[in-house]
Amino acid sequence: MKGLGFKSLLALALIALASLLFLPTAQAAKAKVKPVPRGPLSPRDSLWIRMVTDSSLVILPYVDADTTIEVIPEIPEDTQARITDSLMMRQDSIIRAQKIADSIRVARQDSLDRVAAMIDELVQKGNDYSEMYYFAKAYESFLKAEGLCSDPEFKAAIAENRKKCDYARSHTQKIPELTVVARALFSVDDFFLYYPLPDKSWRPVVGAPAVYYTGTDSEIHLNRDAALDMIYPMYDGDRMYFASKNLPGFGGYDLFYADWDEALGEWGEPHNMGFPYCSPYDDFLFMKTEDGQYSVFASTRGLGEDGEDVHVYVIKNNANVTYRAVNKPRELAQIAELAPNAEVAPGEGHGEGPQAQYQAAVDKEQELRARLESVLAEERPTLQAELDAVLAEKARLEELILNGGGINAPGEYEIVTTGVEGSFSFTKKSYGPAIKIIFDE
């Protein structure tokens, strides 16, 4: 203590006493500091200050009591750049994948369109080949189209056409030699009126095609067979001829016959009449004349697609029929034309009666007039005398027919020569009274 004055000692004593007095107070103040609240802050704690180990201050803002504080860590800039690049690459990948998917879809549709076009082309070729009687080539075209087709309904239709070609090929191995007497072109609306049938035997029906009915009833009851799709049934004793497009055939309507089974009381199995009665076109309304000498039927073969006209063919029925196999399409097409046979003598195909004689006179007149144009002058008198005799006979027969003479001529018939090839007499009959048809289901 030497060297220190009294005043110095007094100051030191006061400092020590102050330390002793204030030490408990500071400790108490330190003890009164509220701890940091855990969880959400209450509304009264708008700001809260606490001391931390590094002597820094942390200010906690006011947070609503019902709100949960979610601490989101700050992402470094390089990490953010990498994430952005990754997202952009992913977006590019999505765009490229979408373009690839679009390309695949377009390519697939193009492929489907090409296949569909190929199928249509093959089917069209098959139809064209069939109509030209190239049944083998038509079969191959339909077979290829069937193999490419995936639509069940269309595939079944193609298969049906293929079967028809195969059926037609089988019928070309036994073709009858026919004597074609005549071929005539008539309107599809009334061609049946030119058939050698009784006058007024065709009856108009409201909302339906005319029907052949020789009875007197104004109403008739029929059984509808939609599955058979039978049209123009004609009867010859115990045999029925009809046309159908739902039975095995060549295509379109084919001609069939069925015999009556007396024991069973029903019609037997239908039989296709075969080539050349049937063709890839529509063939229908087959009948035999009352005297049994001729068969008559109609067909759309060799005609356009407008469906306005039909051919009516007259075939002479021979007791002995010869058959042969034909495999050449061109020969089949020639047979199917059923052009009148050149070897049939004039008048042979007419049958009896004034009508047949009249048609023979018409044919003879045309022949003589053609010869007169090319013979020498000294031969003309003889041919002219022969022509005058034919014209006189023609006038006599015409008067006889108009006055009601002949078996099939009531007097008002007009003999048809326009559009007629061959030597058969066609006359147009008239409709009978209209009838009402009731179908028994």
Side-chain angles (χ1 to χ4, degrees), residues 200 202-206 211 213 216-219 431-437:
K200 302 183 185 303
W202 284 98
R203 308 295 192 88
V205 180
V206 177
V211 297
Y213 180 62
T216 58
D217 296 335
S218 60
E219 295 184 358
Y431 282 105
I435 58 174
K436 179 181 179 181
I437 297 179

Side-chain angles (χ1 to χ4, degrees), residues 178-405:
L178 300 182
T179 302
V180 183
V181 173
R183 178 177 63 185
L185 186 66
F186 297 120
S187 170
V188 70
D189 296 327
D190 59 3
F191 71 96
F192 40 81
L193 294 178
Y194 296 89
Y195 272 55
L197 293 168
D199 188 38
K200 302 183 185 303
S201 58
W202 284 98
R203 308 295 192 88
V205 180
V206 177
V211 297
Y212 176 73
Y213 180 62
T214 57
T216 58
D217 296 335
S218 60
E219 295 184 358
I220 59 175
H221 292 255
L222 299 176
N223 291 321
R224 187 199 306 270
D225 191 344
L228 189 62
D229 194 16
M230 182 177 67
I231 62 172
Y232 294 121
M234 302 295 289
Y235 301 90
D236 182 25
D238 289 337
R239 175 164 288 185
M240 174 178 62
Y241 297 97
F242 63 94
S244 174
K245 63 179 180 180
N246 286 351
L247 293 171
F250 293 63
Y253 280 97
D254 274 24
L255 290 168
F256 295 85
Y257 72 88
D259 294 323
W260 178 257
D261 191 322
E262 190 66 34
L264 297 177
E266 62 184 24
W267 292 102
E269 290 292 325
H271 300 274
N272 190 294
M273 295 186 64
F275 186 83
Y277 292 104
C278 299
S279 71
Y281 301 85
D282 289 327
D283 308 288
F284 44 89
L285 191 49
F286 179 94
M287 60 153 289
K288 289 187 176 182
T289 56
E290 186 176 2
D291 57 11
Q293 293 188 47
Y294 306 101
S295 294
V296 184
F297 72 96
S299 176
T300 62
R301 67 185 71 179
L303 301 175
E305 297 180 357
D306 53 14
E308 296 181 356
D309 300 315
V310 297
H311 274 134
V312 174
Y313 300 94
V314 181
I315 311 298
K316 183 175 178 59
N317 297 327
N318 298 319
N320 298 318
V321 180
T322 58
Y323 298 86
R324 65 190 179 98
V326 178
N327 296 313
K328 296 181 178 180
R330 292 185 180 180
E331 188 175 358
L332 290 173
Q334 184 179 5
I335 295 174
E337 289 181 5
L338 294 177
N341 296 86
E343 62 270 15
V344 177
E348 181 183 345
H350 287 282
E352 300 176 355
Q355 293 172 314
Q357 298 174 30
Y358 180 87
Q359 184 62 48
V362 171
D363 294 339
K364 189 65 175 178
E365 175 191 358
Q366 294 176 352
E367 177 190 349
L368 292 173
R369 289 186 183 279
R371 291 174 60 188
L372 278 171
E373 295 179 357
S374 58
V375 298
L376 299 175
E378 57 268 20
E379 298 179 0
R380 282 181 174 275
T382 303
L383 286 178
Q384 186 61 52
E386 188 176 354
L387 177 59
D388 292 340
V390 170
L391 291 175
E393 178 65 11
K394 177 183 173 184
R396 184 188 71 81
L397 292 170
E398 185 174 354
E399 182 180 1
L400 178 63
I401 293 173
L402 292 176
N403 290 332

Side-chain angles (χ1 to χ4, degrees), residues 21-32:
L21 291 175
F22 286 97
L23 181 59
T25 303
Q27 291 177 351
K30 184 177 181 180
K32 290 180 180 180

Side-chain angles (χ1 to χ4, degrees), residues 4 45 74 103 118 147 159 195 241 260 287 347 369-370 410 418:
L4 294 176
D45 298 322
E74 184 177 356
S103 299
M118 189 181 303
Y195 272 55
Y241 297 97
W260 178 257
M287 60 153 289
R369 289 186 183 279
T418 303

